Structure formats: C-alpha cells, structure tokens
Amino acid sequence: MGAMSARPNTEAAAQQAENTAPHRAGFACFVGRPNAGKSTLTNALVGQKVAITSNRPQTTRHTVRGIVHRDDAQLILVDTPGLHKPRTLLGERLNDVVRTTWAEVDVIGFCLPADQKLGPGDKFIIKELAGIKKTPKIAIITKTDLVESKALAEQLLAVSALAEELGFEWAEIIPVSAVKDQQVSLLADLIAPLLPESPPLYPEGDLTDEPEMVMVAELIREAALEGVRDELPHSIAVVVEEMLPREDRPADRPLLDIHANVYIERPSQKGIIIGPKGKRLKDVGTKSRKHIEALLGTPVFLDLHVKVAKDWQRDPKQLRKLGF
C-alpha cells in the first residue's frame, strides 16, 4: 500500500522541482568542417536569419551570436568559422579564433552531415575536441532529411566509435534536420541543462549582439556571392562605411542611408561583380536591401561601390582594415 501512495507524491515533487528549477544561461558553439550545416542550424534554433548561410565553405567570418530565449534557459550561440588546415594568413587567423572560442564556451556541438562519411576533416576536428577536457560536447548529425534510416544509424555509430577511440564520450548524440525543423527544439532541450545556472545574459528581444553594421555587411556579402561563388568564392569582403538616418524625413516615413564598399582582390574581378551594364550589382543591392530592411525593421537606401584591395587575404594591413 505504501508504495502506491508514494507515486502521486513523486509526481507532485517533480512538478514542484520543475517550477523552482534554476534558470540557466550560457554559450554554445557549433563546430564542424566547412558546410556542415552550422549556420543553418543556428538560424533554425533562433528562428530568424542571423548567421550568413551559403552552400560554399568559409562564409562565416565573424562570431555571429544567435540567442535562443526559453523560459528555463537562454542559449547564446557563437558561430565560429570552420576549422581547416590554413593556407593563408586569413586561414591562420580564423583557426586561432576557433580555438579561443572553444576554450570559452559552455557546450560544443560538433556538426556532421548525415549524407557524408566521416572524413579526415572531421577526424581532425574531433581530435582537437578530445583535447578540450572540461567542456561537454554534443555530436549533432545534420541534414538527416537527405538519408535513409540505415545510413543515419551507421553515421551515429561511427561518430560514437570515433570518440571512444580518442578517449572521450559525447554528452549527447542527436540527429537533426534544420531544413525540415526535425528535432531542432529537442537539441535546445538537450543543451539547456548543460549550461551554468545564471539569469538571462541578454534582454528578451535580442537575437544577436553582433553590431548591426557587421550583420548588414554580411547580408550584402551573401548577396554579392550569389551566382559568382565559383569564380570569386573568398575574394569578396564588404565594409559598411556608414549608416545614417536620412534627415528631414517625417517620423512615420524614416529612411536609413547605408553606404557600403564591396572589396575584391583584382581589377579583373570588378566586371564579374558589376555585371553587364551594372545589372549584377543592381541585383545585389535589391536582394540585400530586402534582408537588411527585414533585419532593421526600417526602409533603407543602399549605396554600393566596388573597390579593389589588392590581395587583401594575404596582407595583414588590409585584413585589419577590413575587420579581421
């Protein structure tokens, strides 16, 4: 009889514990080789486009933070550039940024696409992760909508076995599809308890703490890459020179003037970006303006200029000027 009456009490106790559970807040970052679905996942979790997504590697250059607000937790996503074997000075800088970020976050999510076998790039990253002892690590199998369940099961086993081989254990292994919104909220449920107890670190409405100018530059860069990725994948940098509200506008019809420069490495690339009769550059303006207006919630006048910064990826002075 005693056992029977104990049950409702445990449920009541669990309910009570849930109501008084401490709020948690902290930082998580997604790692994985370029194009493993990190930015798409960030956007799906936050529910708004914050990180730049593209189907070409190495487009995320800034630590774009997406913020997931929940009743019980606040999850701040730090988007690091993909870790890779560096070929240029820019590559080395990016890798240093990655390692410092990993050392500072509360949870690391390793992203691996379901439709690609574990490759040397993944093993390189998992080895690096094995060296970071204290931080809990979650393996996230992304793009599950692209494979059958048998292939998915094999991938889950492979990623589990590799960690074992390197002497560590994943805190969780979870398959997700950001595109189909499958298990995305479950991923947030799994990350939340791994965060430290803390009040929210950002106000409720914030989705990212990236300065607006940087996000605007990213949106322009994404639009500029559209259609010329094969020719100029990494040769484009964008700097927003100024963002100013247009003077003498009625309060109900504000307009924001944005002046931005699109930098390329060689004069020969100018024609590719501008296009015949300036058509491409015009499209870039139209496309990015829509995203910028959605982001800032205000009508925008966008003034774009294409400039040449010779071999900027290899020149420390230029890199600094362009914000790296």
Side-chain angles (χ1 to χ4, degrees):
M1 183 69 202
M4 279 178 69
S5 62
R7 196 151 166 242
N9 293 348
T10 34
E11 274 177 18
Q15 190 64 48
Q16 199 174 346
E18 210 166 277
N19 296 342
T20 56
H23 186 279
R24 294 176 179 274
F27 296 83
C29 76
F30 294 142
V31 305
R33 60 192 149 115
N35 202 16
K38 303 180 291 284
S39 298
T40 312
L41 191 54
T42 300
N43 293 336
L45 277 162
V46 178
Q48 187 167 345
K49 190 166 180 165
V50 281
I52 172 173
T53 54
S54 106
N55 53 8
R56 281 306 282 250
Q58 256 183 280
T59 40
T60 312
R61 292 219 177 115
H62 295 282
T63 309
V64 176
R65 294 181 173 85
I67 303 169
V68 182
H69 300 276
R70 298 162 51 106
D71 293 340
D72 60 337
Q74 187 181 66
L75 169 61
I76 298 128
L77 299 166
V78 189
D79 202 20
T80 54
L83 189 78
H84 52 90
K85 296 203 163 72
R87 283 191 306 276
T88 60
L89 182 64
L90 175 65
E92 279 169 40
R93 290 246 175 115
L94 291 174
N95 279 359
D96 291 343
V97 171
V98 174
R99 291 197 186 88
T100 2
T101 306
W102 291 7
E104 292 164 359
V105 298
D106 301 299
V107 181
I108 300 173
F110 168 69
C111 295
L112 174 72
D115 63 334
Q116 293 165 33
K117 288 265 182 284
L118 266 164
D122 301 307
K123 290 176 182 162
F124 174 66
I125 293 171
I126 293 179
K127 265 205 184 89
E128 293 270 337
L129 288 180
I132 300 171
K133 298 285 183 246
K134 289 200 183 86
T135 318
K137 296 168 271 291
I138 293 181
I140 306 163
I141 311 297
T142 59
K143 311 186 184 185
T144 54
D145 50 294
L146 301 179
V147 298
E148 300 292 320
S149 53
K150 182 172 175 284
L152 179 58
E154 281 167 11
Q155 193 73 306
L156 294 168
L157 288 170
V159 76
S160 167
L162 189 57
E164 212 167 297
E165 211 176 291
L166 294 168
F168 78 95
E169 204 179 316
W170 300 107
E172 306 278 355
I173 300 180
I174 175 175
V176 300
S177 165
V179 174
K180 292 263 185 345
D181 198 21
Q182 285 159 351
Q183 306 235 88
V184 172
S185 59
L186 176 62
L187 174 62
D189 293 343
L190 295 177
I191 295 174
L194 299 171
L195 302 174
E197 290 183 19
S198 156
L201 302 169
Y202 286 89
E204 178 69 50
D206 288 9
L207 290 172
T208 171
D209 80 342
E210 189 65 59
E212 284 178 342
M213 282 170 104
V214 174
M215 290 188 67
V216 166
E218 290 281 77
L219 290 170
I220 295 170
R221 183 165 178 266
E222 184 176 18
L225 277 171
E226 212 63 23
V228 298
R229 287 208 163 90
D230 299 331
E231 298 159 273
L232 317 173
H234 309 317
S235 319
I236 299 176
V238 175
V239 176
V240 173
E241 298 295 337
E242 56 178 19
M243 287 178 25
L244 296 167
R246 175 88 52 101
E247 287 178 14
D248 309 328
R249 294 284 292 193
D252 59 345
R253 290 198 17 251
L255 184 68
L256 188 65
D257 285 319
I258 298 179
H259 300 279
N261 291 328
V262 177
Y263 287 95
I264 45 180
E265 294 190 297
R266 289 185 289 286
S268 61
Q269 297 169 336
K270 217 168 172 171
I272 301 175
I273 285 287
I274 294 172
K277 298 198 170 143
K279 187 176 173 335
R280 283 230 55 250
L281 191 62
K282 214 168 158 172
D283 290 348
V284 171
T286 312
K287 198 171 241 163
S288 54
R289 199 183 70 235
K290 278 201 197 102
H291 286 304
I292 294 165
E293 291 181 337
L295 172 77
L296 303 177
T298 175
V300 160
F301 171 79
L302 186 57
D303 175 39
L304 281 185
H305 292 275
V306 180
K307 301 197 165 183
V308 179
K310 216 166 142 348
D311 292 329
W312 63 266
Q313 295 199 41
R314 294 175 189 279
D315 174 353
K317 258 204 349 251
Q318 299 266 22
L319 280 171
R320 269 202 302 282
K321 191 180 125 193
L322 298 173
F324 298 110

